[in-house]
Amino acid sequence: MRRTFAYLRTGFSGLNNNGINVLTVRHASSVCWNCQKPGKNMICGDCGSLQDVDNNTNYFELLNFPTKFELQASELTQRFRQLQARVHPDKYSNKTTREQTNSADWSSLINKAYKTLAAPVERGQYMLQLEGEQMPQDNSALNTAFLMAMMERNEEVEEADDSKALDQLYAQIVQELADKANKLTAHFETNDLVAVKQTLVEMKYLLSIQNSIKKKQQQLMSNGA
């Protein structure tokens, strides 16, 4: 496994088990824009000013997680809320214009980081990006049997005339997505990026069918089925 998938804690110190020490989240510059004292923390330890955003910040580091696929969703949400509360624009409404801008920028970055890490497919694609890898632009990573199975499921959705059948298919999709997420964990741990890409493409197909089921259920409800 390359260093990207090591337990990265650079940028954090003095952390406890209950949350994030926002004073140690790194920012873009090497000195404070306000007092010009050296440091790369989100909040200046000398004057307390909120610093400029570093848009290249690793999302895992920002939310104090090791850069690996498996994570606890509840912990992710807790850390997101803690960090977001600290930089929320409402807290900086009476501050300088620069801090107000920085607050909005940090809030946006934290939201983006959370949404990316909270969704397994988005999280997996982001980890590939960290490795300098790209997702395939076609379905060449998939075997014929899987593609045929997806076509059949799409037909099932289109032909479904009651919600019960759709509910059953939806439950199957949910379970298969969970199983593939477990596979992703193993593939990332062995740095098998070819298998990672194949699994992510399969998950995207399953998510597409899941969305089709939701739309069909709405359609049936509208029709009184």
Side-chain angles (χ1 to χ4, degrees):
M1 186 73 89
R2 284 182 274 182
R3 292 195 331 189
T4 300
F5 296 108
Y7 192 98
L8 299 177
R9 295 182 69 93
T10 304
F12 291 89
S13 62
L15 296 170
N16 57 44
N17 293 328
N18 298 318
I20 298 172
N21 183 347
V22 297
L23 294 178
T24 60
V25 179
R26 299 304 180 92
H27 69 91
S29 179
S30 59
V31 297
C32 172
W33 60 266
N34 185 44
C35 67
Q36 300 302 308
K37 295 291 181 65
K40 285 185 67 66
N41 298 331
M42 175 191 283
I43 298 175
C44 178
D46 290 286
C47 70
S49 297
L50 184 63
Q51 300 300 296
D52 299 338
V53 168
D54 181 358
N55 287 312
N56 293 320
T57 297
N58 181 304
Y59 293 168
F60 289 93
E61 291 180 8
L62 179 63
L63 290 160
N64 188 31
F65 277 93
T67 306
K68 63 178 185 179
F69 184 76
E70 186 177 23
L71 55 73
Q72 291 294 322
S74 58
E75 289 185 19
L76 176 66
T77 300
Q78 180 185 26
R79 295 176 190 183
F80 159 71
R81 289 173 177 169
Q82 289 171 340
L83 197 56
Q84 191 63 272
R86 185 61 187 86
V87 301
H88 195 278
D90 288 349
K91 289 184 176 291
Y92 291 87
S93 59
N94 295 322
K95 299 290 186 177
T96 65
T97 300
R98 185 160 182 172
E99 283 187 286
Q100 290 175 10
T101 298
N102 287 347
S103 173
D105 289 344
W106 276 113
S107 182
S108 177
L109 179 64
I110 293 165
N111 273 328
K112 185 177 181 181
Y114 174 71
K115 289 178 180 179
T116 298
L117 299 189
V121 171
E122 297 298 322
R123 183 164 73 246
Q125 291 182 146
Y126 177 68
M127 290 180 69
L128 283 178
Q129 179 184 330
L130 292 178
E131 284 289 282
E133 295 284 340
Q134 299 268 335
M135 285 288 289
Q137 299 301 310
D138 53 35
N139 57 14
S140 58
L142 302 177
N143 60 50
T144 304
F146 179 84
L147 290 173
M148 291 297 294
M150 294 302 100
M151 290 177 62
E152 290 174 2
R153 282 181 163 175
N154 274 318
E155 291 175 359
E156 286 183 53
V157 175
E158 291 175 3
E159 296 172 359
D161 55 8
D162 68 85
S163 295
K164 184 177 180 180
L166 289 173
D167 288 341
Q168 292 175 345
L169 181 55
Y170 190 91
Q172 292 174 14
I173 299 293
V174 169
Q175 183 58 55
E176 288 180 32
L177 283 168
D179 292 342
K180 290 189 182 298
N182 290 334
K183 288 183 178 180
L184 275 181
T185 297
H187 295 327
F188 274 116
E189 287 178 352
T190 59
N191 202 32
D192 187 350
L193 300 185
V194 173
V196 164
K197 293 176 185 180
Q198 178 177 338
T199 304
L200 285 171
V201 172
E202 290 174 353
M203 291 177 76
K204 292 178 81 170
Y205 269 85
L206 289 170
L207 287 172
S208 177
I209 294 175
Q210 195 176 60
N211 288 331
S212 295
I213 293 173
K214 291 178 182 178
K215 291 178 181 178
K216 188 59 180 285
Q217 286 175 322
Q218 291 174 349
Q219 179 183 336
L220 291 177
M221 289 179 63
S222 298
N223 294 338

